[in-house]
Amino acid sequence: MISLSSVAFVLPLLLAGVSTGVWTHYDASNRNAVYAETIAAIVTVFVPAVLVYLYYRDRIGPRTESPSTTENVAGAIAVGSLTAVILGQFVAPPDAGTLGLAQSSLLPVGIAFGFLWVYEISPRILEAT
């Protein structure tokens, strides 16, 4: 039988992987990347690979379209779920069950931060640079 703590442990990690992969696919497709699906699949399975993608994405090419609402929502959920996963590591006791519960309880706060980051903070940073 599946326990609540195991579901709570897997849910934020799964959400982080899928939403980061979706955002990467949209971004790579808008840059006319030949292997956008492959890049997104790698990022979905191994989320830290998004850092490599972010480092090299300007070499793929410039964006052909501005970000869509779906891309912004996927990015906000990715930022929020990654925030919840990382913060959960700091505030939870070293037990997998309580770690999952801490990460799941931080998920709404992280997603609110993600929407704030995508819709308010990052546009202001881009205007300033």
Side-chain angles (χ1 to χ4, degrees), residues 2 14 17 24-25 29-30 40 43-44 47 61-62 64 70 72 74 79 83-84 88 97 103 107 115 117 122:
I2 299 174
L14 185 64
T24 305
H25 180 267
S29 295
N30 283 334
V43 168
T44 300
V47 178
T64 57
T70 309
N72 285 335
V79 168
T83 301
Q103 289 174 343
L107 203 54
F115 276 93
W117 178 264
S122 67

Side-chain angles (χ1 to χ4, degrees), residues 9-90:
F9 182 71
V10 172
L11 179 68
L13 297 173
L14 185 64
L15 187 62
V18 170
S19 60
T20 306
V22 168
W23 176 83
T24 305
H25 180 267
Y26 277 115
D27 190 66
S29 295
N30 283 334
R31 294 176 186 276
N32 294 325
V34 177
Y35 300 109
E37 291 84 12
T38 306
I39 295 168
I42 291 169
V43 168
T44 300
V45 173
F46 186 66
V47 178
V50 76
L51 297 174
V52 176
Y53 172 73
L54 289 173
Y55 183 75
Y56 287 108
R57 75 179 179 163
D58 287 337
R59 295 180 186 171
I60 294 173
R63 290 186 65 94
T64 57
E65 301 174 12
S66 61
S68 66
T69 303
T70 309
E71 184 178 353
N72 285 335
V73 168
I77 292 173
V79 168
S81 56
L82 290 172
T83 301
V85 167
I86 292 168
L87 286 178
Q89 297 290 328
F90 289 112

